[in-house]
Amino acid sequence: MQTSQSKDSAIFAAVNLPTLPQTLIRLMEICNDPETDIVLVGKAVSQDVSIASKILKLANSAFLGTRSKFVNIEQAVIYLGIDTVRNLAISVSVHETFQASTHFQSMNIEEFWYHSLLTALLAKGIAELTEYDDPGEAYLGGLLHDIGKCLLNESFPDQYAKLQDVHGRSADLHVVEEDTFGVSHAAAGGWLAQHWHLKPPLAEAISLHHVPLSDSKDATLLETILYMSNALAGDMKDKQSHIKNEAAHLRLTHTALQTLLTEQQAIVLEIAESLGITVCAPDDSAEEHPTVQTTKSQSADILAKKIQSLAKVYGMLDNLVNAQTSNRVFLILEESIQLLFDSEKCILLLPDQENSKLTSHGSFRNLLVRPLRNLQISLQADDI
């Protein structure tokens, strides 16, 4: 391993390596502390105007379906939660770190960030399905898994542009890179993660994201998650058997992964817009996921509505998991029901402690709660 690190260091010795903002480094240190105070997170975020403004924008966006507007970053951080804030801050910072490069005209950078964000969302989703103990780390790995491409592009702009033109969509791109430059984008990404002092298991997972579990008996769960996420987010034609094998190993069904992919594809554009990141789905995405033939205008309207609805529901479900009070739980459930059924009002009917009756419940904002507070529906068979 040391020999590989030394080789990579020699390759990139003449490159002005990108550095992560100090605000982000400090924020990651705070978020990694299991006993951290969320108020400290808010203060750390507020030190970077770009990060703070985008997080505030997202908190107030339709993506999360919030009705009240946040006026300061501390409120938005408390509402979003530590993991979400960390992921957003990393996404914004990494994007801005490489966006300043003058060599990116040779890369399809919009497709690159689309794939990176989609892989990050898939990694977080798979981590949650497999009960991995740090879904936020999986998200970060997914976001950075291809960052080595940016490093290679920065180091060999002319050569890498030509290589991308010929092999950019090839499943063997990392092999061609190794033959041409002596290092693949996967290895370069892992090396850069180490240079940024990210956790060694994360750097290792990034460097191995093209290695399926069947080729590495000692693969960690994080490494498997990144491999599957990258395969799902990219061209799956040549990876179907590998994906099915990995899914079976993790006790996930292929259907569950396909459902997750559809869900994340529906929200990736919304998230990118909220973060101020310009993305573009690959040209062949329509062939991979055909839809009913409609006019361009109709397709755009249908897609926009679907993305908006799914994005809101996804955000609400994420908030539901982190809800701290019963009123917050009721409010999120009410907003979800109103969205799904296009209803202006709703009431929640929940069983009592004896499971004998349904009684009405709702948030403090729900105007139906008071007039229906005595509503009771018997669950006894004789009364139905």
Side-chain angles (χ1 to χ4, degrees), residues 207-226:
S207 67
L208 297 174
H209 73 264
H210 279 291
V211 180
L213 183 64
S214 56
D215 294 348
S216 177
K217 296 181 180 179
D218 298 326
T220 65
L221 178 55
L222 180 59
E223 290 167 10
T224 304
I225 288 173
L226 288 197

Side-chain angles (χ1 to χ4, degrees), residues 67 334-346:
R67 294 186 177 180
E334 288 167 358
E335 291 182 339
S336 299
I337 292 171
Q338 290 167 356
L339 172 67
L340 289 172
F341 298 100
D342 195 23
S343 173
E344 293 184 1
K345 299 178 181 179
C346 70

Side-chain angles (χ1 to χ4, degrees), residues 71-282:
V71 295
N72 63 66
I73 191 61
E74 286 79 10
Q75 290 177 337
V77 167
I78 291 173
Y79 180 80
L80 292 172
I82 291 177
D83 285 343
T84 300
V85 169
R86 178 181 63 177
N87 292 343
L88 295 177
I90 290 170
S91 301
V92 171
S93 297
V94 172
H95 175 258
E96 292 184 348
T97 296
F98 280 96
Q99 196 67 10
S101 172
T102 58
H103 299 134
F104 275 141
Q105 61 266 25
S106 61
M107 282 182 67
N108 191 331
I109 197 63
E110 288 81 14
E111 282 191 15
F112 171 84
W113 286 118
Y114 175 90
H115 175 73
S116 297
L117 279 172
L118 179 57
T119 304
L121 292 170
L122 289 170
K124 181 175 184 291
I126 295 174
E128 292 169 347
L129 289 174
T130 56
E131 299 183 354
Y132 181 65
D133 58 4
D134 193 349
E137 182 180 47
Y139 175 95
L140 177 56
L143 181 72
L144 298 179
H145 79 286
D146 270 351
I147 205 68
K149 291 181 179 180
C150 296
L151 189 54
L152 288 175
N153 185 73
E154 187 76 10
S155 305
F156 314 101
D158 295 333
Q159 290 174 275
Y160 200 65
K162 295 176 181 177
L163 186 145
Q164 282 278 331
D165 288 341
V166 179
H167 302 283
R169 296 290 183 87
S170 171
D172 295 325
L173 173 63
H174 60 293
V175 177
V176 178
E177 292 168 339
E178 177 76 34
D179 293 340
T180 305
F181 306 113
V183 61
S184 70
H185 70 268
W191 181 84
L192 184 58
Q194 289 181 324
H195 174 75
W196 285 341
H197 302 292
L198 301 181
K199 294 179 180 180
L202 179 60
E204 187 72 5
I206 291 172
S207 67
L208 297 174
H209 73 264
H210 279 291
V211 180
L213 183 64
S214 56
D215 294 348
S216 177
K217 296 181 180 179
D218 298 326
T220 65
L221 178 55
L222 180 59
E223 290 167 10
T224 304
I225 288 173
L226 288 197
Y227 171 83
M228 293 179 65
S229 302
N230 177 59
L232 284 171
D235 185 356
M236 298 184 294
K237 293 177 181 177
D238 299 327
K239 299 188 178 76
Q240 287 290 349
S241 61
H242 280 305
I243 292 175
K244 290 180 180 179
N245 290 337
E246 309 298 307
H249 176 78
L250 296 177
R251 298 181 181 179
L252 296 176
T253 65
H254 193 251
T255 301
L257 293 177
Q258 291 292 340
T259 300
L260 178 65
L261 175 61
T262 301
E263 293 172 349
Q264 304 314 316
Q265 284 176 322
I267 68 173
V268 64
L269 298 178
E270 185 87 6
I271 291 178
E273 182 180 357
S274 298
L275 295 175
I277 299 176
T278 303
V279 299
C280 178

